[in-house]
Amino acid sequence: MMGLAGIGSLRRRQGLLGLVVLAAFMSCSMLVLVSGPDLSSEQALVRRVAELQARSQHLDALYRSRIADMRGLSQHLGQLVSTVNRSSPLSVEAQQLVRNLSALRLTLDDPASQPLQLPNAFHFMPHLLDAGFGGGAAGTLRPAFCMCGARRSGVSIVLGVPTVRRQVQSYLLATLDNLVSSMTPEESNDTLIVVFVAETELEYVKQVAAQIRDQFDNEVQSGLIELISPPTSYYPDLNSLRVTLGDSMERVRWRTKQNLDFAFLMMYSQPRGTFYVQLEDDILAKKNFISTMKNFALEKSAQREPWFVLEFCQLGFIGKMFKCVELPWLVQFFLMFYNDKPVDWLLDHVIFTKVCSPEKDHKHCKKAKSELWIQYKPSLFQHIGTHSSLRGKVQKLKDKQFGKVSLFFPHWNPPAVVDSDIKPYKQYTLHKAYMGESFFWGLLPQPGDTLTFRFHTPIFIKRFLFRSGNAEHPSDRLYNTSVEVKPMKPKRLDPGLGFNVTHDGFVVVGQFDGMGVCEGIVDFTLGAISIIRLYIHSESDNWAILSEILIEADNGR
């Protein structure tokens, strides 16, 4: 809770930012008058002004939120002081508190009447009151679990990634890897990714958090990635919902919970940045997508084009951008109708309510909505998941605006005879993958299976890279798999040199990581290598894809 001094400080910062915006605007105007044709400088300044205006709106929203908090605190303190005063005489300190409280209430409230109570989430979710969320520190609605590093705030873009336990396969780690690798260092420093594990089983939440920390420790520590989960008492009784739209009870529960999940994630993310983008846990992003989205949003603001949604993917709720200052409208709407319709329908209804007139035809409504719901083309995100979080639902949704996705990465490799114990699927053979013509796709690897590359002439290996899985099937990876080489002269395998040698004379030079990648070098003291192989140590629930094979020979030896 922020005190009066904190609110005053926030207000002063807001005023200073407003002056900066005005100064930047004046500078921009002077530049136009003086330089004339220097459009690049002019556009940069106009965009900077738009960014400062967006941040100013964000600070103003935070200020109004703190004022609301202080008003609530004022009322609670007033009730407390009245109760104490009736039960026993007030001390000198308490009397001073009453005087300060009176001054505070004169500042925040109309002294002539008791302030009216605005509708809030408790009107639509009364079970929260029964759970103790009516007031007090113990009753505050907060995440049940939070894996937070540097606790970033004031970033340009917050990415919300909700995820749930999936019955078939999870795409979450692959999605996070793609998001992180698609950002430049400048973009990652100005972004926050909030992973919302929409499960109340704490052990499962901690398991997901451990997996993310294991793969993305630097991103967690720096504050780029945070993970939260909701308290059990946040959800109403999902078995007592009204059946609507003629859906089955299972589907009603699924879409109702999704509405509440999105609302919680938005409430948590709202004060942390300028723009919020809703994603899913099974998507693929294009390179530099953060800058593209930010520049497009600032361009619309600079041109004074009002917007409520910027759409960077045509599918469902993926890639929908909102101003953080306007998220409370959306959250309130979701909480009002969470039992009635799916979340993407509710978003459409928000825009419909804002601009469509019952006295105008559908064509007019569609045009008016398009002015607030603006599409960006080509799409920046693609849906890669096949198995929905709704049990038994298979969805092969693809955004045609996204374009083609690279499913393999070809390389020139040294001449070799290749062989595999894993049966290939259709034409996706290991030979074609090694030649850079396609990717290898094999059925259910078993312990002891190998993928072998026997060189025509033994070579010194400078570097190797094996990448499993691809954009459309990110979970078809090689797990618990080692990369092993066989030197042409086994006498070099002196146990004193620390080599890990298998029973059949291979030296282990690498292990596939949790993302299905193994990259490394081969110690030159091993000499020329005649065979390199991948050895599978355990059974897999998925098929296996090898989308990149790179064996770089050291021709100088």
Side-chain angles (χ1 to χ4, degrees), residues 115 123 135 203 212 232 354 435 542:
H123 289 80
E203 287 305 312
I212 292 178
T232 304
K354 290 173 73 70
M435 298 300 293
N542 300 323

Side-chain angles (χ1 to χ4, degrees), residues 22-317:
L22 178 60
F25 180 77
M26 293 177 64
S27 299
C28 178
S29 300
M30 290 297 294
L31 181 68
V32 174
L33 291 174
V34 174
S35 61
D38 191 359
L39 294 180
S40 60
S41 299
E42 175 191 346
Q43 291 169 350
L45 275 176
V46 169
R47 183 167 296 171
R48 181 60 177 159
V49 169
E51 183 176 4
L52 291 172
Q53 287 175 333
R55 291 185 180 274
S56 176
Q57 292 173 351
H58 179 66
L59 282 176
D60 185 64
L62 290 179
Y63 169 77
R64 293 196 301 269
S65 176
R66 298 301 180 266
I67 285 293
D69 290 342
M70 291 300 296
R71 282 180 172 159
L73 176 62
S74 168
Q75 293 170 15
H76 286 305
L77 286 177
Q79 295 171 359
L80 176 63
V81 169
S82 299
T83 302
V84 173
N85 193 25
R86 286 194 300 270
S87 61
S88 61
L90 293 177
S91 64
V92 175
E93 292 81 3
Q95 292 176 14
Q96 182 62 41
L97 175 61
V98 171
R99 285 194 293 270
N100 292 341
L101 179 61
S102 299
L104 177 62
R105 298 188 70 175
L106 284 173
T107 303
L108 298 178
D109 297 324
D110 180 3
S113 63
Q114 186 71 17
L116 300 176
Q117 294 294 321
L118 292 172
N120 54 44
F122 301 115
H123 289 80
F124 316 118
M125 303 177 70
H127 67 279
L128 292 179
L129 290 174
D130 298 334
F133 290 124
T140 302
L141 183 59
R142 57 163 59 94
F145 179 87
C146 182
M147 181 179 70
C148 307
R151 293 283 300 174
R152 290 185 180 183
S153 61
V155 298
S156 291
I157 293 181
V158 181
L159 304 176
V161 183
T163 186
V164 296
R165 190 199 304 259
R166 292 179 181 266
Q167 298 296 323
V168 180
Q169 62 183 128
S170 173
Y171 307 91
L172 177 61
L173 294 180
T175 294
L176 292 178
D177 181 60
N178 172 257
L179 292 176
V180 171
S181 61
S182 297
M183 298 183 197
T184 65
E186 293 76 15
E187 290 174 330
S188 63
N189 289 333
D190 196 27
T191 303
L192 169 63
I193 302 174
V194 180
V195 178
F196 178 67
V197 183
E199 301 288 348
T200 55
E201 184 184 329
L202 197 56
E203 287 305 312
Y204 175 76
V205 174
K206 290 181 177 179
Q207 176 185 339
V208 176
Q211 292 173 345
I212 292 178
R213 186 179 289 277
D214 182 56
Q215 297 296 329
F216 305 99
D217 185 60
N218 291 335
E219 289 77 11
V220 172
Q221 294 298 329
S222 69
L224 173 59
I225 296 178
E226 293 186 6
L227 180 145
I228 61 171
S229 69
T232 304
S233 49
Y234 170 64
Y235 299 103
D237 183 359
L238 297 178
N239 293 316
S240 301
L241 299 171
R242 291 178 293 105
V243 176
T244 57
L245 303 179
D247 286 341
S248 66
M249 189 61 186
E250 183 179 15
R251 188 175 183 86
V252 171
R253 281 195 296 266
W254 174 74
R255 57 177 169 81
T256 293
K257 183 176 179 298
Q258 187 178 63
N259 288 335
L260 297 174
D261 292 342
F262 283 24
F264 194 103
L265 178 53
M266 289 177 176
M267 285 189 286
Y268 180 84
S269 304
Q270 188 266 333
R272 309 292 293 279
T274 305
F275 302 111
Y276 173 83
V277 180
Q278 185 75 38
L279 298 178
E280 292 186 5
D281 64 349
D282 54 354
I283 57 99
L284 186 70
K286 288 185 176 178
K287 292 287 186 181
N288 303 325
F289 69 100
I290 291 292
S291 294
T292 303
M293 293 191 299
K294 178 181 175 181
N295 291 338
F296 187 69
L298 294 178
E299 177 185 334
K300 295 300 176 184
S301 299
Q303 295 171 352
R304 299 184 180 276
E305 295 184 29
W307 59 270
F308 188 78
V309 184
L310 296 183
E311 180 176 88
F312 296 96
C313 177
Q314 298 185 52
L315 301 176
F317 220 109

Side-chain angles (χ1 to χ4, degrees), residues 431-462:
H431 176 75
K432 287 187 176 180
Y434 190 76
M435 298 300 293
E437 298 173 3
S438 181
F439 56 90
F440 169 73
W441 201 359
L443 281 61
L444 295 176
Q446 301 296 314
D449 284 348
T450 61
L451 290 82
T452 305
F453 310 90
R454 189 184 303 271
F455 303 113
H456 292 175
T457 303
I459 62 171
F460 286 88
I461 297 178
K462 181 179 181 181

